[in-house]
Short mmCIF file of all heavy atoms in Angstrom, two decimals:
data_model
loop_
_atom_site.label_atom_id
_atom_site.label_comp_id
_atom_site.label_asym_id
_atom_site.label_seq_id
_atom_site.Cartn_x
_atom_site.Cartn_y
_atom_site.Cartn_z
N LYS A 2 0.52 2.23 -0.84
CA LYS A 2 1.28 3.49 -0.88
C LYS A 2 0.38 4.65 -0.46
O LYS A 2 -0.70 4.82 -1.05
CB LYS A 2 1.79 3.76 -2.30
CG LYS A 2 2.88 2.80 -2.72
CD LYS A 2 3.39 3.16 -4.09
CE LYS A 2 4.47 2.19 -4.48
NZ LYS A 2 4.83 2.26 -5.88
N VAL A 3 0.81 5.41 0.51
CA VAL A 3 0.00 6.53 0.99
C VAL A 3 0.77 7.83 0.73
O VAL A 3 1.91 8.00 1.16
CB VAL A 3 -0.35 6.35 2.48
CG1 VAL A 3 -1.09 7.58 3.00
CG2 VAL A 3 -1.21 5.12 2.69
N THR A 18 5.19 8.14 10.98
CA THR A 18 4.12 7.28 11.52
C THR A 18 3.78 6.17 10.54
O THR A 18 3.63 5.01 10.94
CB THR A 18 2.86 8.14 11.83
OG1 THR A 18 3.24 9.23 12.68
CG2 THR A 18 1.79 7.32 12.52
N LEU A 35 0.93 12.19 -7.67
CA LEU A 35 -0.37 11.65 -7.22
C LEU A 35 -0.70 10.30 -7.88
O LEU A 35 -1.66 9.65 -7.49
CB LEU A 35 -1.49 12.64 -7.58
CG LEU A 35 -1.51 13.95 -6.79
CD1 LEU A 35 -2.45 14.94 -7.45
CD2 LEU A 35 -1.92 13.70 -5.35
N LYS A 36 0.12 9.92 -8.89
CA LYS A 36 -0.16 8.65 -9.57
C LYS A 36 0.14 7.49 -8.64
O LYS A 36 1.11 7.51 -7.89
CB LYS A 36 0.71 8.55 -10.83
CG LYS A 36 0.26 9.55 -11.86
CD LYS A 36 0.97 9.41 -13.18
CE LYS A 36 0.35 10.40 -14.15
NZ LYS A 36 1.36 10.90 -15.09
N LYS A 53 -2.90 28.24 -0.85
CA LYS A 53 -2.31 29.06 -1.94
C LYS A 53 -1.33 28.22 -2.76
O LYS A 53 -1.33 28.25 -3.99
CB LYS A 53 -1.61 30.26 -1.30
CG LYS A 53 -1.11 31.24 -2.32
CD LYS A 53 -0.58 32.51 -1.67
CE LYS A 53 -0.13 33.54 -2.72
NZ LYS A 53 0.72 33.00 -3.76
N GLU A 69 -13.15 13.26 -4.97
CA GLU A 69 -14.54 13.06 -5.43
C GLU A 69 -14.74 11.72 -6.10
O GLU A 69 -15.82 11.16 -6.09
CB GLU A 69 -14.95 14.22 -6.34
CG GLU A 69 -15.24 15.46 -5.50
CD GLU A 69 -15.45 16.75 -6.30
OE1 GLU A 69 -15.19 16.75 -7.53
OE2 GLU A 69 -15.85 17.74 -5.70
N ASP A 91 -14.12 32.41 8.11
CA ASP A 91 -13.18 32.70 7.02
C ASP A 91 -13.98 32.56 5.73
O ASP A 91 -14.77 31.62 5.59
CB ASP A 91 -12.05 31.65 7.07
CG ASP A 91 -10.88 32.01 6.18
OD1 ASP A 91 -11.10 32.59 5.09
OD2 ASP A 91 -9.74 31.71 6.55
N ASP A 100 -18.77 17.69 3.99
CA ASP A 100 -19.93 18.44 4.43
C ASP A 100 -19.84 18.78 5.93
O ASP A 100 -20.61 18.26 6.74
CB ASP A 100 -21.18 17.59 4.13
CG ASP A 100 -22.46 18.40 4.19
OD1 ASP A 100 -22.36 19.62 4.38
OD2 ASP A 100 -23.53 17.78 4.06
N ILE A 101 -18.87 19.62 6.26
CA ILE A 101 -18.67 20.05 7.65
C ILE A 101 -18.47 21.56 7.67
O ILE A 101 -17.94 22.14 6.70
CB ILE A 101 -17.45 19.36 8.33
CG1 ILE A 101 -16.18 19.50 7.46
CG2 ILE A 101 -17.75 17.88 8.62
CD1 ILE A 101 -14.92 18.94 8.12
N TYR A 108 -9.62 27.30 19.34
CA TYR A 108 -9.14 27.23 20.71
C TYR A 108 -8.24 28.41 21.08
O TYR A 108 -7.53 28.34 22.07
CB TYR A 108 -8.41 25.91 20.95
CG TYR A 108 -9.33 24.71 20.90
CD1 TYR A 108 -9.41 23.93 19.76
CD2 TYR A 108 -10.11 24.38 22.00
CE1 TYR A 108 -10.25 22.82 19.71
CE2 TYR A 108 -10.95 23.27 21.96
CZ TYR A 108 -11.01 22.51 20.80
OH TYR A 108 -11.84 21.43 20.77
N GLN A 111 -1.61 30.34 19.65
CA GLN A 111 -0.60 29.29 19.79
C GLN A 111 -0.39 28.90 21.25
O GLN A 111 -0.25 27.74 21.58
CB GLN A 111 0.72 29.81 19.19
CG GLN A 111 1.76 28.75 18.92
CD GLN A 111 1.55 28.08 17.57
OE1 GLN A 111 0.84 28.59 16.71
NE2 GLN A 111 2.17 26.95 17.38
N PHE A 115 -2.85 22.55 23.58
CA PHE A 115 -2.98 21.65 24.73
C PHE A 115 -3.09 20.21 24.24
O PHE A 115 -3.24 19.96 23.04
CB PHE A 115 -4.22 22.00 25.56
CG PHE A 115 -5.53 21.79 24.84
CD1 PHE A 115 -6.30 20.66 25.10
CD2 PHE A 115 -6.01 22.71 23.90
CE1 PHE A 115 -7.51 20.44 24.43
CE2 PHE A 115 -7.21 22.50 23.24
CZ PHE A 115 -7.96 21.37 23.50
N ILE A 124 -12.07 2.89 18.13
CA ILE A 124 -10.73 2.66 18.68
C ILE A 124 -10.93 2.33 20.16
O ILE A 124 -11.60 3.06 20.88
CB ILE A 124 -9.81 3.90 18.50
CG1 ILE A 124 -9.57 4.14 16.99
CG2 ILE A 124 -8.49 3.70 19.24
CD1 ILE A 124 -8.71 5.35 16.68
N MET A 130 -4.62 13.35 22.19
CA MET A 130 -4.97 14.37 21.19
C MET A 130 -4.20 15.64 21.48
O MET A 130 -4.36 16.25 22.53
CB MET A 130 -6.48 14.65 21.26
CG MET A 130 -7.32 13.41 21.04
SD MET A 130 -9.10 13.78 21.10
CE MET A 130 -9.76 12.16 20.75
N ALA A 135 -5.83 24.91 17.03
CA ALA A 135 -6.66 23.93 16.31
C ALA A 135 -8.04 24.48 15.95
O ALA A 135 -8.60 25.31 16.66
CB ALA A 135 -6.81 22.70 17.18
N PRO A 136 -8.57 23.94 14.86
CA PRO A 136 -9.98 24.20 14.53
C PRO A 136 -10.85 23.17 15.23
O PRO A 136 -10.33 22.17 15.73
CB PRO A 136 -10.00 23.94 13.01
CG PRO A 136 -8.95 22.89 12.82
CD PRO A 136 -7.90 23.09 13.88
N VAL A 141 -22.16 19.27 11.24
CA VAL A 141 -21.89 18.27 10.20
C VAL A 141 -23.16 18.01 9.39
O VAL A 141 -24.27 18.15 9.89
CB VAL A 141 -21.39 16.93 10.79
CG1 VAL A 141 -20.10 17.14 11.59
CG2 VAL A 141 -22.43 16.28 11.67
N LEU A 148 -16.81 11.12 15.21
CA LEU A 148 -15.97 10.07 15.81
C LEU A 148 -15.44 10.45 17.19
O LEU A 148 -15.14 9.57 18.00
CB LEU A 148 -14.78 9.76 14.89
CG LEU A 148 -15.14 9.23 13.50
CD1 LEU A 148 -13.90 9.18 12.63
CD2 LEU A 148 -15.77 7.86 13.60
N VAL A 165 -11.23 13.24 9.13
CA VAL A 165 -10.58 14.49 9.61
C VAL A 165 -10.43 14.47 11.12
O VAL A 165 -11.28 13.94 11.84
CB VAL A 165 -11.35 15.77 9.21
CG1 VAL A 165 -11.28 16.00 7.69
CG2 VAL A 165 -12.80 15.75 9.68
N LYS A 180 -3.87 3.87 11.92
CA LYS A 180 -4.33 2.51 11.61
C LYS A 180 -5.78 2.54 11.15
O LYS A 180 -6.16 1.83 10.22
CB LYS A 180 -4.26 1.64 12.89
CG LYS A 180 -3.05 0.79 12.99
CD LYS A 180 -3.23 -0.18 14.17
CE LYS A 180 -1.90 -0.43 14.81
NZ LYS A 180 -1.99 -0.89 16.18
#
Side-chain angles (χ1 to χ4, degrees):
K2 289 183 180 168
V3 175
T18 305
L35 291 167
K36 291 186 176 146
K53 186 173 183 312
E69 284 171 350
D91 192 326
D100 195 5
I101 52 176
Y108 292 100
Q111 196 85 16
F115 66 101
I124 295 179
M130 303 181 178
V141 300
L148 298 171
V165 291
K180 262 190 213 157

